[in-house]
């Protein structure tokens, strides 16, 4: 049944050359699983991507129940945790994954740095990777406010005050973030929109560019 379905799709879209091009791509010897330590170090990028996919899927689940207003935000989070089937597990995955993805990305960037993989001809890919790191950090900052509890509120207030200290443009950045002089309904709505619309669009675009350049330049050699 599966083969018939695949053949029917392949006859119309010719998908076999696409996945065969990926599957048949040679892997450098220093990334060979036989060298366990080297292969493990080179897995940080793939593990980061796996966690990002998990964050996207769990976030889509949470978004079906979350209400981005100051009256119902905390209640909706409680409802997800206490009432929704497997809601506590999915929320826990999303919560801990937000920290884990930063750790794995940091380890991946350390590997790239210490193996010299940021040098020519991969300088642009390093820049894109740094931009991805900033986007992931922005995910953490905007998502932290969404439960709308005391810890989230005051942590965001501190973050806004830090942003205000940026020379010349600090006050404008703070106003852009919180939507006014104080944290309120507009702040929560703005953070939610940034978290689920703007940042995912930026992340997917940067990841696509990152993978294209990896495909073009190949995996960097050992130290």
């Amino acid at each position: 049944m599966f083969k018939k379905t695949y053949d029917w799709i392949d006859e119309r879209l010719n998908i076999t050359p696409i996945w065969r091009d990926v599957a048949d791509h040679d892997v450098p010897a220093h990334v060979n699983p036989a060298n366990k330590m080297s292969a493990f170090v080179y897995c940080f990028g793939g593990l980061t991507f796996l966690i990002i996919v998990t964050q996207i899927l769990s976030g889509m689940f949470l978004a079906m129940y979350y209400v981005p207003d100051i009256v119902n935000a905390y209640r909706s989070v409680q409802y997800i945790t206490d009432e929704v089937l497997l809601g506590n597990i999915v929320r826990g995955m999303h919560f801990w994954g937000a920290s884990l993805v930063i750790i794995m990305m940091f380890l991946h960037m350390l590997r790239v740095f210490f193996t010299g993989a940021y040098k020519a001809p991969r300088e642009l890919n390093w820049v894109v990777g740094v931009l991805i790191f900033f986007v992931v950090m922005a995910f953490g900052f905007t998502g932290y406010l969404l439960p709308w509890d005391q810890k989230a509120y005051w942590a965001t207030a501190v973050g806004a005050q830090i942003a205000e200290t940026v020379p010349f443009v600090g006050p404008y950045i703070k106003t852009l973030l919180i939507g006014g002089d104080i944290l309120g309904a507009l702040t929560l709505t703005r953070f939610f929109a940034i978290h689920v619309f703007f940042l995912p669009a930026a992340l997917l675009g940067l990841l696509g560019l990152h993978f294209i350049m990896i495909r073009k330049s190949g995996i960097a050699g050992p130290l």
Side-chain angles (χ1 to χ4, degrees), residues 14-166:
N14 194 28
I15 62 175
T16 298
I18 299 174
W19 71 262
R20 289 304 308 179
D21 180 59
V22 176
D24 294 340
H25 188 66
D26 291 334
V27 177
H30 61 280
V31 194
N32 194 298
N35 187 345
K36 294 183 179 180
M37 180 55 68
S38 176
F40 174 74
V41 171
Y42 277 84
C43 281
F44 289 142
L47 291 173
T48 302
F49 178 69
L50 177 62
I51 299 171
I52 288 175
V53 172
T54 303
Q55 290 297 96
I56 292 173
L57 295 177
S58 59
M60 292 168 63
F61 174 88
L62 296 175
M64 291 191 294
Y65 297 96
Y66 178 75
V67 181
D69 70 66
I70 59 176
V71 176
N72 296 302
Y74 184 71
R75 295 175 184 174
S76 65
V77 173
Q78 281 188 314
Y79 178 77
I80 293 170
T81 304
D82 300 331
E83 303 294 336
V84 178
L85 180 64
L86 302 180
N88 190 30
I89 295 176
V90 177
R91 188 194 169 202
M93 291 170 57
H94 199 76
F95 177 83
W96 292 108
S99 299
L100 188 58
V101 69
I102 294 175
I103 295 172
M104 296 306 301
M105 184 171 294
F106 183 71
L107 292 174
H108 176 57
M109 294 178 73
L110 284 179
R111 196 278 302 167
V112 171
F113 180 79
F114 283 112
T115 57
Y118 61 90
K119 299 178 181 179
R122 300 177 178 86
E123 311 99 309
L124 184 57
N125 208 11
W126 168 260
V127 173
V128 172
V130 172
L131 292 177
I132 293 174
F133 182 75
F134 287 141
V135 169
V136 171
M137 292 291 287
F139 266 113
F141 179 66
T142 55
Y144 202 83
L145 178 66
L146 299 186
W148 198 249
D149 54 12
Q150 286 290 325
K151 184 169 64 172
Y153 181 93
W154 292 112
T156 304
V158 172
Q161 290 175 357
I162 294 174
E164 191 177 17
T165 62
V166 176

